[in-house]
Amino acid sequence: MSGSLKQLKRIIGQNLSVKYNFLPSVRLLTSQTTNDGETHFGFEKVKEQEKEKKVFEVFENVAVDYDIMNDTMSLGIHRLWKDYFMCSLSPTNNTKLLDVAGGTGDITFRFLDFVKNQNLQNCHATVCDINPHMLEVGKLRSSRYNYNANMVSWKEGNAEKLDFEDNSFNVYTIAFGIRNVTHIDRVLSEAYRVLQPGGRFMCLEFSHLENSTLQWLYDQYSFQLIPVLGQLIAGKWQPYKYLVESIRQFPTQENFKLMIEEAGFRQVTYENLTMGMVAMHSGFKL
Amino acid sequence: MSFIIIPLNRRIGVRNSSCIWSTIRLFSSETTSSDEQGDDKNYEEDIRNKILEASLPNVPELGWSKEAIAKGAQAVGYPGVTHGMFSRGGGDLLHYFQTSSNSKLVQFLKKYKEDMKENPIPPADFAERAIQERLKMVGPYVGKWPQALAIMALPPNVPNSLATLLTMVDDICYYAGDRSVDHNWYLRRIGIAGVYKASELYMIQDKSEEFKNTWVFLNKRLLEAVQLQDLLLKSENGTQMAKDTVQSVFVTARNILGINWNK
């Protein structure tokens, strides 16, 4: 115990020496990629080609403790966000869902529950995640909770170049995933491509608080506490440091809405949950 | 009504000066882009209206609900989840029904007035015929009309439902030949709105063939309203006070619906 505490102290010391004075300037940046082929990985700058690999490592590391960490960090509220997300979607008969970055199945299982409770016909979900470790966790949970295996398919794939035909789904969801991709615009245009006319794009993602005092409080919590919790509970500091930094790098609600519109979606709206801690964006291919 | 009449006027204006417009368009790229934007908005609006129109036949079975919209969307070739475009669900469907019925009524009133040109009927009879016509549109949905009334009374829907009601009575009075510029203007409109709402309530429990009892009820209430108006006219001072309040209500209603105020 004392050994691990000592280790924790060391890590905290190392990481706190990197002050985040550059926070305000960072928040002004709206585009994800800079001119010279570099992109953000948290507050670090990395080569575009490297980001994918680095993100992969992050989620490879956190896959097993993903759930327990989500619960601790958000005090369980992430479940409410996801429930509300599914309620807003309100699937109907013949819904073909593509859940991108949905490895552990949080959204897909809610979808399957909804279908079962409403007794909907002819529905199917495809989970697509770039990371096989996350998919493994999802598959394991799927069999543990006895979900109908015929209604779900699991597929490893990159959100920037989906291996699906045009117009093959009518709902595309991406929950807490889009901030980890290298090119948001490519993901959005792929989403537009695979959706059929009338299909709905829905995204749940950490965002920016409306109130600056609360944002400050939230920043303190994120930067001071979350990596510590990560170290204590999951034994990993870096992935959780990346998590909070990547949230700050993500475009604001309005900017992200513009990006969705640029991809061709119409009737684009967003809704802030918990004062903007999380934003739910929605758009239609018409 | 103005939302029918004014575009008509505009169209005529454009037609008269069409050569000027085409010349301007030749030299101005800006005009084109703003036109495109307008088309864009219409494109979305047309799809929304198409879905809602196709959803109305599902109302007697599924009520004013997301489910009815989902089924309507599927009927015109969209997936059911397109219902998410209508954030207020049944409220949006109901609002569409109310506004489209109102514009149908305006068309009917125009034609009716044209037909009655030879032998004009008294305004009260005209109003009765108009209210009857409007209530008949509710007829197919009478089974789900209590639900509709409940939806209209929900706080987020109140502005829209009040505005559609006031616009409708305004149209009826206008076509009935009301050109008054004094407080009678308000009295008539409020009177008609009251009679309409009362008859609507009567209608939802009316089991008689083709709502015969409702029409009798309507006739009696209108007679009373006329008597009441006469009474108020004789005590003119009392009504002066209400004028300002009511005026603002009507202006607000028009503004909420985004309808041009000028007749």
Side-chain angles (χ1 to χ4, degrees):
Chain A
M1 188 61 202
S2 70
S4 72
L5 268 183
K6 214 175 269 173
Q7 193 194 359
L8 178 67
K9 262 186 199 163
R10 188 166 46 84
I11 295 171
I12 293 176
Q14 276 169 9
N15 286 283
L16 287 191
S17 63
V18 186
K19 290 275 182 202
Y20 37 91
N21 301 339
F22 51 97
L23 241 183
S25 66
V26 156
R27 210 170 289 146
L28 288 176
L29 292 171
T30 50
S31 82
Q32 284 287 294
T33 44
T34 51
N35 295 335
D36 42 354
E38 282 191 333
T39 186
H40 307 291
F41 176 76
F43 289 158
E44 288 172 47
K45 275 202 173 145
V46 295
K47 288 261 178 301
E48 274 196 12
Q49 299 92 317
E50 282 173 28
K51 172 154 178 173
E52 199 175 303
K53 199 171 132 257
K54 286 194 154 239
V55 171
F56 187 91
E57 282 164 9
V58 165
F59 284 94
E60 187 178 16
N61 275 319
V62 299
V64 185
D65 305 306
Y66 190 70
D67 258 5
I68 185 162
M69 275 310 291
N70 279 348
D71 279 336
T72 338
M73 291 184 304
S74 72
L75 309 173
I77 298 173
H78 77 103
R79 291 168 190 269
L80 301 180
W81 290 331
K82 287 165 185 164
D83 286 346
Y84 184 73
F85 182 75
M86 196 40 67
C87 271
S88 308
L89 173 63
S90 289
T92 60
N93 289 336
N94 309 314
T95 300
K96 300 277 171 286
L97 169 79
L98 175 62
D99 181 18
V100 176
T104 55
D106 275 355
I107 296 298
T108 303
F109 296 149
R110 279 175 175 77
F111 171 72
L112 295 176
D113 289 338
F114 194 101
V115 168
K116 200 172 165 192
N117 292 338
Q118 302 277 321
N119 205 8
L120 301 177
Q121 307 299 316
N122 197 17
C123 290
H124 186 267
T126 307
V127 185
C128 175
D129 201 303
I130 198 168
N131 198 311
H133 296 88
M134 296 289 270
L135 280 175
E136 276 314 309
V137 175
K139 281 182 198 167
L140 205 74
R141 285 170 65 190
S142 169
S143 56
R144 195 194 304 155
Y145 298 129
N146 287 324
Y147 283 105
N148 183 350
N150 295 328
M151 285 178 68
V152 203
S153 35
W154 305 83
K155 190 159 168 68
E156 198 182 316
N158 187 340
E160 291 184 23
K161 27 184 194 300
L162 291 172
D163 190 16
F164 300 105
E165 299 204 350
D166 297 3
N167 308 326
S168 45
F169 297 94
N170 45 40
V171 181
Y172 178 109
T173 59
I174 181 163
F176 304 115
I178 202 157
R179 105 185 157 269
N180 300 311
V181 303
T182 316
H183 306 98
I184 295 181
D185 49 340
R186 284 188 206 163
V187 173
L188 291 173
S189 54
E190 276 295 273
Y192 191 80
R193 182 181 66 79
V194 298
L195 278 174
Q196 66 185 73
R200 188 173 193 186
F201 166 85
M202 275 189 91
C203 170
L204 192 64
E205 189 54 86
F206 290 111
S207 206
H208 305 271
L209 270 67
E210 298 144 326
N211 182 308
S212 54
T213 316
L214 290 172
Q215 177 73 45
W216 180 84
L217 267 175
Y218 178 53
D219 282 346
Q220 300 309 309
Y221 172 70
S222 308
F223 287 101
Q224 312 294 355
L225 259 167
I226 285 182
V228 181
L229 285 175
Q231 179 68 34
L232 283 175
I233 294 164
K236 291 169 192 94
W237 179 288
Q238 283 302 328
Y240 294 98
K241 181 166 163 283
Y242 163 72
L243 173 86
V244 293
E245 289 178 358
S246 64
I247 292 171
R248 269 61 187 182
Q249 295 286 16
F250 193 67
T252 57
Q253 284 89 330
E254 280 294 333
N255 282 337
F256 186 46
K257 182 184 167 196
L258 283 177
M259 293 171 84
I260 299 173
E261 278 168 351
E262 267 165 29
F265 287 102
R266 289 166 183 271
Q267 302 268 313
V268 181
T269 52
Y270 69 84
E271 194 176 336
N272 284 331
L273 307 180
T274 323
M275 299 166 295
M277 221 174 265
V278 164
M280 193 170 78
H281 282 78
S282 155
F284 292 86
K285 176 176 177 176
L286 289 175
Chain B
M1 165 202 58
S2 48
F3 59 91
I4 297 296
I5 277 199
I6 283 173
L8 255 181
N9 288 344
R10 265 190 211 140
R11 221 172 296 151
I12 294 162
V14 167
R15 207 176 294 150
N16 289 345
S17 56
S18 60
C19 40
I20 305 172
W21 275 110
S22 53
T23 329
I24 290 172
R25 238 174 237 165
L26 269 180
F27 294 102
S28 158
S29 57
E30 248 174 284
T31 320
T32 332
S33 71
S34 71
D35 265 16
E36 266 168 20
Q37 257 177 12
D39 285 352
D40 219 43
K41 197 165 174 252
N42 284 342
Y43 175 79
E44 288 177 30
E45 205 55 39
D46 287 349
I47 291 179
R48 285 173 70 93
N49 289 343
K50 193 166 80 177
I51 292 174
L52 291 175
E53 186 65 46
S55 309
L56 286 176
N58 306 321
V59 168
E61 187 198 346
L62 298 167
W64 306 92
S65 61
K66 270 183 191 173
E67 288 74 24
I69 302 178
K71 215 171 161 190
Q74 281 170 327
V76 288
Y78 291 110
V81 287
T82 316
H83 74 70
M85 281 205 302
F86 307 96
S87 54
R88 275 183 304 176
D92 281 339
L93 181 55
L94 184 60
H95 182 63
Y96 171 77
F97 171 71
Q98 293 287 59
T99 46
S100 62
S101 300
N102 281 355
S103 47
K104 269 184 215 155
L105 179 71
V106 168
Q107 276 159 6
F108 166 83
L109 292 179
K110 260 190 217 165
K111 198 172 164 290
Y112 189 60
K113 184 136 182 93
E114 206 61 33
D115 295 346
M116 290 290 139
K117 228 175 187 169
E118 299 302 308
N119 42 350
I121 54 168
D125 292 357
F126 187 92
E128 185 180 348
R129 182 80 182 82
I131 296 177
Q132 206 175 35
E133 192 62 29
R134 183 62 179 79
L135 283 174
K136 274 183 190 163
M137 295 180 197
V138 175
Y141 310 101
V142 75
K144 296 290 176 192
W145 206 247
Q147 187 198 4
L149 293 178
I151 291 174
M152 282 192 260
L154 285 175
N157 300 332
V158 164
N160 270 343
S161 40
L162 262 185
T164 45
L165 173 69
L166 292 181
T167 317
M168 180 197 67
V169 297
D170 189 25
D171 291 336
I172 292 178
C173 289
Y174 179 80
Y175 281 103
D178 179 27
R179 297 290 184 278
S180 54
V181 286
D182 55 1
H183 56 261
N184 281 319
W185 193 95
Y186 303 103
L187 276 183
R188 293 209 180 93
R189 277 153 184 78
I190 289 185
I192 300 273
V195 170
Y196 177 82
K197 273 289 161 189
S199 311
E200 189 184 43
L201 282 175
Y202 188 92
M203 192 181 181
I204 48 184
Q205 53 80 49
D206 185 5
K207 298 277 182 285
S208 65
E209 202 181 326
E210 288 176 347
F211 305 109
K212 272 190 190 120
N213 293 345
T214 306
W215 313 140
V216 175
F217 179 87
L218 168 65
N219 184 269
K220 283 183 187 160
R221 296 295 86 75
L222 266 176
L223 279 179
E224 284 168 9
V226 171
Q227 282 166 4
L228 188 69
Q229 199 197 0
D230 286 346
L231 194 74
L232 285 171
L233 276 180
K234 282 165 195 156
S235 57
E236 200 150 320
N237 291 339
T239 54
Q240 190 62 32
M241 219 173 58
K243 188 177 170 182
D244 294 336
T245 326
V246 183
Q247 181 171 24
S248 55
V249 171
F250 275 88
V251 174
T252 313
R254 293 252 164 198
N255 288 343
I256 288 170
L257 283 183
I259 295 171
N260 205 319
W261 173 242
N262 300 314
K263 288 273 182 201

